[in-house]
Every structure is written in structure tokens, then in C-alpha cells.
């Protein structure tokens, strides 16, 4: 099938590469010519494990082309996927990119005599596809949805850092369709992908995505609330609490006499907060959507509130250890919102660095994949980017672990003693063996251990 994907970000490009690897021909439509040239040359504009390798394979087979001409791409494609951003504006969802692209697609379809299905893959609040995209498509194309063109909402569940394997081997595909012909077209598109396919209406598909993300965000904020209680009670390490909780066989089933560790449990663990382009904005969007529907989403409001203050627990730990942060040299290890990505959107590192700077600390940062800070309102001239972990840590007064990169997990108490005078380590991801660090004389604190 011929497919157009509008938006060449994390979701758009990964989906394009995956669909091309399944044998479809894919146009990836973007606006930035330099970025499009990079993609056509086999270079990913962002870091995602395995993406460039697969991109180069599909380019070699002539199955993917990055273009800026949306008109030409859309008119040739049976399936047109919208994968543009749906950011937060005043704590609610901003659908302006969806509106612009729906209009462009509609205009491109005006002259076409063949059948096309437009698919919203971006995360949108229930009702948005039918209330916003549908009328714009009909008006700009002069065609009727459900008769001349199809419409679907197909949420994406990939996780950054493992997006390629998630998209190649999805655990489920949710297809919300306006009509039967649209869902049949999408089932054909995903024929090669072996997993359960849930065919439903558009609003249900939209709500499924929000529910999935809100559930995971809720588990994280719940874990972080438990961590706060443990920290302030004293004498309890939340790590030990989670060990005891996780071993409940309903969470951690014993199958054929072996414990099976569900991936789900990774979210039932305490840390310095969730970030990224999804959980923060999707939980806020759902709260605001519920409010407009007359429902006060009290639980989700708390999830958002706990998360927004969670990164600052790191500063509270630091202040307990160092008292005053004025002119103290602080090494921040990790800028990405999680390991295996270079995405810093809503990363806990940002409020942490901002607060350190406002308290007069001297900040050095190191992240294996992030080499500059974008869109963070941080005065970049005040932050030193170290070229490796040694340079970041050397002579610092304290180290903050913000991202659980494998590289940091390997650091030993001996390493910290070698590089620092009186090592203070604040572990925001609980990657170190507390007992080993304490025994070595390190002033060790962490989320869930005061
Ligand atoms: P992104 O910001 O990385 O990419 C969006 C892209 O769309 C950008 O490159 C932008 O330039 C492009 N774009 C915007 N308007 C355009 C236009 N008129 N023409 C061409 N390109 C245009 O965002 P993302 O992380 O890929 O997310 C996209 C959507 O998917 C969002 O709704 C997000 O919530 C959802 N989602 C994201 C993830 C994730 O892990 N990143 C996972 C599931 C769902």
C-alpha cells in the first residue's frame, strides 16, 4: 500500500520506517528541508536505538522517501497518517497542528477520485478526531467522510528508547474507525503485524490511549507518594517496601515454578518523577477534558501535582546533606527524561537544574546522549556540559542521579571517592546498592530513603 505520514518526529518517523519494513511504500512528510535530507541520507534526526539501521534498509529498498510536498504525497496514498504534535496549552490540549494538517490533507484530496483513509495517530482527547479533524477534512476536500474518504483514529503505544521494537512487535493495535471500510483498510495496512487488533469506535480509541498513559502515570505518582512517606518516617527504605509488594503473586505471578516479572512493575517504583512528551501532557489534557465535561478528575489532578513537585525532592535531599547550595559544585548525571533516548521534554532534570542555579550552585551536567538543552528556559551559559562522567563528577560537592543510564549504574563507591573530597550522592533513580555506598562512607540519600 502507499502511505503518507505527516510529521517526522518520534512517532511519525518510527511508524514510517516500520510500515516500510513491512513492505509498504511510505512518504514521510516534514517541513524542515535539512531534516528531510538527513532522513533520505539514512540519518535519524533524533536518537532511537535501531532506527537508523532499519531506516537505511528501507531506503535501500526504495520503500521510504522524506518529502516536503504534502499535496503530491497525499494524493498518491491510500492511507494518510497524522503524527504531528499535540502539546499542552494553558494546561489543555493544543490541537492547532492537527487542524492545520487536516486542512492541508483535505485540500490535497480535493482533486482525487480514489478512496483514501485519513488516520489520526497523534494522541487527541475523545471527540477531537470527529469534532475537529472530520469537519475540516470535509470542508477542505469537498468530500464526505464515510462515503468518499475514510477516517480512523489509531493511537500509538510505542515507548521512546524501545520504539523500534515496540512498533515492530506491538502488543496490540487499536483501530477506532468512523466506518467499516476505514477499519478494513487499516487491518490491511497492519496485516503483517501479529498481535491482537481491537476494532472500535473513534472516541473509544482516543480514550484508550489516555487511559493507558494515565494508568502508568498514576502508578508512578503513587510510588512517589509512598516514597515521600518512607523518607519522612525514617528507618524505611522504599526499595525494601517495593520488594515486599512486588512479590505478591498477583503482581508477579509464578508460572511453572518461576517468577514472571511483568514490565508493568517498572512503573510501581519510586524516582524523581516522570517526564517526556506523553505522560505530563496527556494527564493534564485528560484533567482539562474531564473538567469541561463537568467531572473533577481528582485522582489525576493529584497525579499531576505529585509529579510536578517530585524532582524538587532531590533538592530537599541535597540541602539536608550540604545545607547551603551557594557556590557548591553539583554534578547532574542525566538530562534525558529516561535512558536510551535523547528526549529532554519535561525531563525532571530541567526543574532540578533551574532550582540549583537559582540557589547559586555551580552546575555541571553529563548525559551520554544529550549534548545541549532545548526549550528549557535555562540560561545555558550557566551550565557546563562535561564531555564524560569523570569530568562532571571531579571535585564536585555532590552528584545527583537523574536518569538511570547504564553508564552511571557501573560507577562504584571507589570511583566517587577518587573524584570527590567528601562524596555526596543523591540517587534519584535508586540505581545503587545503598548498603555498599553507606559502608564505603559515602553520604548517600535517594528517593524513598532519607
Ligand atoms: P514530535 O514533536 O517529535 O513530532 C511531531 C512532528 O510533527 C514534528 O517534527 C513537527 O515538525 C511535525 N509537524 C507539525 N506540524 C506539521 C505540518 N504541518 N507538516 C509537517 N510536519 C509537521 O512529536 P512525537 O513525539 O512524535 O508525538 C507525535 C504525537 O504522537 C503526539 O500527539 C504524541 O502525544 C503522540 N505519541 C507520542 C509518543 C512518544 O513516545 N513520543 C508515543 C505515543 C504517542
Amino acid at each position: 500500500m502507499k502511505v503518507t505520514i505527516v510529521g517526522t518526529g518520534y512517532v511519525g518517523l518510527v511508524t514510517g520506517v516500520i510500515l516500510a519494513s513491512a513492505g509498504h511504500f511510505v512518504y514521510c512528510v516534514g517541513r524542515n528541508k535539512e531534516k528531510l535530507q538527513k532522513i533520505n541520507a539514512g540519518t535519524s534526526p533524533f536518537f532511537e536505538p535501531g532506527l537508523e539501521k532499519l531506516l537505511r534498509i528501507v531506503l535501500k529498498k526504495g520503500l521510504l522517501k522524506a518529502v516536503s510536498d504534502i499535496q503530491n504525497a497525499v494524493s498518491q496514498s491510500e492511507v494518510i497518517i497524522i503524527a504531528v504534535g499535540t502539546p499542552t496549552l494553558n494546561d489543555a490540549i493544543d490541537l492547532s497542528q492537527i487542524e492545520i494538517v487536516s486542512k492541508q490533507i483535505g485540500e490535497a484530496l480535493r482533486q482525487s477520485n480514489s478512496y483514501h483513509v485519513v488516520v489520526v495517530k497523534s494522541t487527541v482527547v475523545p471527540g477531537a478526531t470527529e469534532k475537529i479533524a472530520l469537519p475540516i477534512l470535509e470542508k477542505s476536500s469537498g468530500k464526505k467522510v464515510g462515503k468518499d474518504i475514510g477516517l480512523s483514529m489509531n493511537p500509538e503505544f510505542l515507548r521512546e528508547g524501545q520504539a523500534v521494537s515496540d512498533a515492530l512487535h506491538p502488543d496490540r493495535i487499536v483501530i477506532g474507525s468512523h466506518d467499516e471500510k476505514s477499519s478494513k483498510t487499516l487491518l490491511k495496512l497492519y496485516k503483517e503485524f501479529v498481535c491482537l487488533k481491537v476494532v472500535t469506535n473513534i472516541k473509544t480509541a482516543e480514550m484508550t490511549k489516555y487511559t493507558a498513559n494515565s494508568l502508568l502515570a498514576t502508578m508512578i505518582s503513587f510510588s512517589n507518594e509512598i516514597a515521600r512517606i518512607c523518607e519522612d518516617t525514617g528507618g524505611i527504605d522504599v526499595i525494601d517496601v517495593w520488594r515486599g509488594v512486588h512479590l505478591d503473586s498477583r503482581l508477579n505471578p509464578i508460572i511453572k515454578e518461576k517468577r514472571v516479572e511483568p514490565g508493568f512493575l517498572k512503573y510501581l517504583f519510586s524516582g524523581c518523577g516522570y517526564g517526556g512528551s506523553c505522560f505530563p501532557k496527556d494527564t493534564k489534557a485528560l484533567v482539562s477534558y474531564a473538567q469541561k465535561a463537568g467531572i473533577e478528575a481528582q485522582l489525576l489532578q493529584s497525579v499531576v501535582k505529585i509529579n510536578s513537585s517530585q524532582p524538587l525532592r532531590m533538592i530537599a535531599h541535597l540541602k539536608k546533606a550540604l545545607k547551603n547550595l551557594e557556590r557548591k559544585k553539583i554534578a547532574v548525571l542525566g538530562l534525558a527524561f529516561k535512558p536510551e533516548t535523547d528526549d529532554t521534554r519535561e525531563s525532571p532534570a530541567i526543574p532540578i537544574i533551574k532550582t540549583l542555579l537559582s540557589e547559586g550552585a555551580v552546575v555541571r551536567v553529563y548525559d551520554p546522549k544529550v549534548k545541549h538543552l532545548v526549550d528549557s528556559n535555562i540560561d545555558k551559559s550557566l551550565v557546563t556540559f562535561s564531555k564524560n562522567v569523570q569530568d562532571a563528577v571531579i571535585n564536585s560537592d555532590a552528584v545527583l542521579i537523574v536518569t538511570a543510564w547504564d553508564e552511571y549504574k557501573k560507577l562504584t563507591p571507589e570511583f566517587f571517592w577518587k573524584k570527590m573530597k567528601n562524596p555526596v550522592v543523591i540517587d534519584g533513580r535508586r540505581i545503587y546498592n545503598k548498603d555498599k555506598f553507606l559502608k564505603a562512607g559515602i553520604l548517600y540519600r535517594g528517593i524513598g530513603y532519607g
Side-chain angles (χ1 to χ4, degrees):
M1 292 169 89
K2 262 196 178 166
V3 182
T4 285
I5 302 186
V6 190
T8 52
Y10 287 86
V11 169
L13 186 59
V14 171
T15 306
V17 168
I18 283 344
L19 289 175
S21 77
H24 301 297
F25 177 84
V26 181
Y27 281 119
C28 284
V29 177
R31 297 176 296 187
N32 180 331
K33 295 240 161 95
E34 202 184 313
K35 199 167 140 186
L36 298 174
Q37 270 170 7
K38 258 187 166 184
I39 296 171
N40 284 328
T43 306
S44 170
F46 50 85
F47 171 70
E48 187 58 50
L51 183 60
E52 275 192 358
K53 193 174 162 207
L54 208 53
L55 172 64
R56 287 176 189 165
I57 293 173
V58 294
L59 284 169
K60 214 170 163 190
K61 287 185 182 168
L63 288 173
L64 186 141
K65 201 169 173 200
V67 296
S68 58
D69 183 354
I70 187 166
Q71 174 101 26
N72 179 53
V74 164
S75 61
Q76 289 188 46
S77 300
E78 191 178 347
V79 177
I80 301 132
I81 298 175
I82 301 177
V84 296
T86 47
T88 308
L89 184 66
N90 301 328
D91 280 343
I93 190 167
D94 172 9
L95 291 165
S96 57
Q97 295 181 37
I98 299 277
E99 289 170 10
I100 293 168
V101 171
S102 300
K103 186 164 178 279
Q104 290 173 324
I105 294 170
E107 285 165 356
L109 293 179
R110 191 163 264 279
Q111 304 304 331
S112 173
N113 293 320
S114 42
Y115 179 77
H116 308 260
V117 179
V118 179
V119 183
V120 175
K121 189 171 261 303
S122 302
T123 304
V124 293
V125 288
T129 303
E130 283 164 311
K131 279 196 194 134
I132 310 282
L134 187 150
I136 297 175
L137 279 169
E138 287 192 332
K139 191 169 173 221
S140 51
S141 67
K143 294 179 189 295
K144 186 97 193 98
V145 167
K147 187 169 159 266
D148 314 311
I149 47 177
L151 183 65
S152 273
M153 198 280 156
N154 169 221
E156 182 52 62
F157 297 102
L158 61 76
R159 294 162 294 178
E160 282 176 29
Q162 31 201 325
V164 173
S165 66
D166 282 352
L168 272 176
H169 312 287
D171 38 19
R172 79 289 211 193
I173 293 175
V174 175
I175 299 171
S177 281
H178 178 270
D179 51 84
E180 211 182 323
K181 196 167 172 193
S182 307
S183 39
K184 276 194 178 148
T185 309
L186 280 206
L187 286 170
K188 196 168 103 188
L189 178 76
Y190 289 121
K191 204 175 80 199
E192 298 298 319
F193 297 84
V194 185
C195 67
L196 282 179
K197 287 156 194 154
V198 180
V199 178
T200 181
N201 63 36
I202 287 186
K203 266 192 193 172
T204 307
E206 290 166 331
M207 189 63 189
T208 304
K209 173 66 190 171
Y210 277 101
T211 307
N213 275 1
S214 297
L215 170 64
L216 298 173
T218 302
M219 287 168 64
I220 296 172
S221 278
F222 168 71
S223 308
N224 290 339
E225 187 162 79
I226 295 293
R228 292 177 186 194
I229 299 169
C230 292
E231 285 165 19
D232 290 353
T233 305
I236 309 173
D237 184 351
V238 81
I239 295 275
D240 301 328
V241 173
W242 288 128
R243 192 173 301 135
V245 173
H246 286 184
L247 286 173
D248 181 329
S249 63
R250 288 165 296 185
L251 295 172
N252 204 324
I254 302 164
I255 297 173
K256 291 190 185 152
E257 290 173 30
K258 266 194 166 168
R259 287 266 177 195
V260 177
E261 174 94 20
F264 199 62
L265 291 185
K266 289 207 175 79
Y267 299 82
L268 212 48
F269 194 76
S270 313
C272 58
Y274 60 74
S277 71
C278 291
F279 291 1
K281 82 172 173 63
D282 293 348
T283 42
K284 284 180 198 155
L286 191 53
V287 166
S288 148
Y289 172 80
Q291 221 153 30
K292 280 182 197 141
I295 295 151
E296 204 193 340
Q298 294 179 40
L299 177 59
L300 281 179
Q301 282 174 16
S302 303
V303 168
V304 171
K305 198 168 159 205
I306 290 170
N307 195 61
S308 62
S309 53
Q310 189 64 11
L312 301 184
R313 301 291 293 189
M314 296 288 283
I315 305 290
H317 280 300
L318 185 63
K319 279 185 164 172
K320 275 189 188 151
L322 295 184
K323 311 285 181 278
N324 187 349
L325 302 186
E326 186 83 37
R327 285 194 290 277
K328 295 279 165 44
K329 294 188 194 100
I330 311 297
V332 175
L333 297 188
L335 291 170
F337 82 93
K338 66 173 181 178
E340 300 305 323
T341 181
D342 58 1
D343 198 344
T344 56
R345 288 179 283 186
E346 305 251 9
S347 170
I350 293 166
I352 289 172
I353 294 171
K354 272 187 188 160
T355 312
L356 288 173
L357 291 174
S358 71
E359 301 258 345
V362 179
V363 180
R364 264 185 305 204
V365 300
Y366 169 70
D367 185 289
K369 289 292 167 198
V370 184
K371 299 301 165 204
H372 50 262
L373 279 167
V374 275
D375 302 333
S376 61
N377 298 328
I378 290 176
D379 183 347
K380 281 125 199 143
S381 66
L382 296 177
V383 178
T384 304
F385 274 76
S386 302
K387 61 178 188 301
N388 54 39
V389 74
Q390 285 83 359
D391 281 4
V393 171
I394 197 151
N395 295 330
S396 59
D397 294 297
V399 171
L400 304 186
I401 306 291
V402 178
T403 316
W405 283 102
D406 279 347
E407 187 179 339
Y408 310 152
K409 289 182 187 166
K410 291 178 195 143
L411 304 176
T412 58
E414 295 71 40
F415 167 85
F416 289 109
W417 268 118
K418 229 163 127 186
K419 301 285 169 196
M420 302 161 76
K421 220 158 135 203
N422 291 305
V424 173
V425 175
I426 313 292
D427 189 349
R429 298 295 177 188
R430 300 306 307 271
I431 60 175
Y432 296 125
N433 180 322
K434 175 192 71 191
D435 297 331
K436 230 167 110 182
F437 272 57
L438 290 175
K439 211 166 149 206
I442 288 181
L443 203 166
Y444 176 90
R445 287 174 176 272
I447 295 294
Y449 175 70

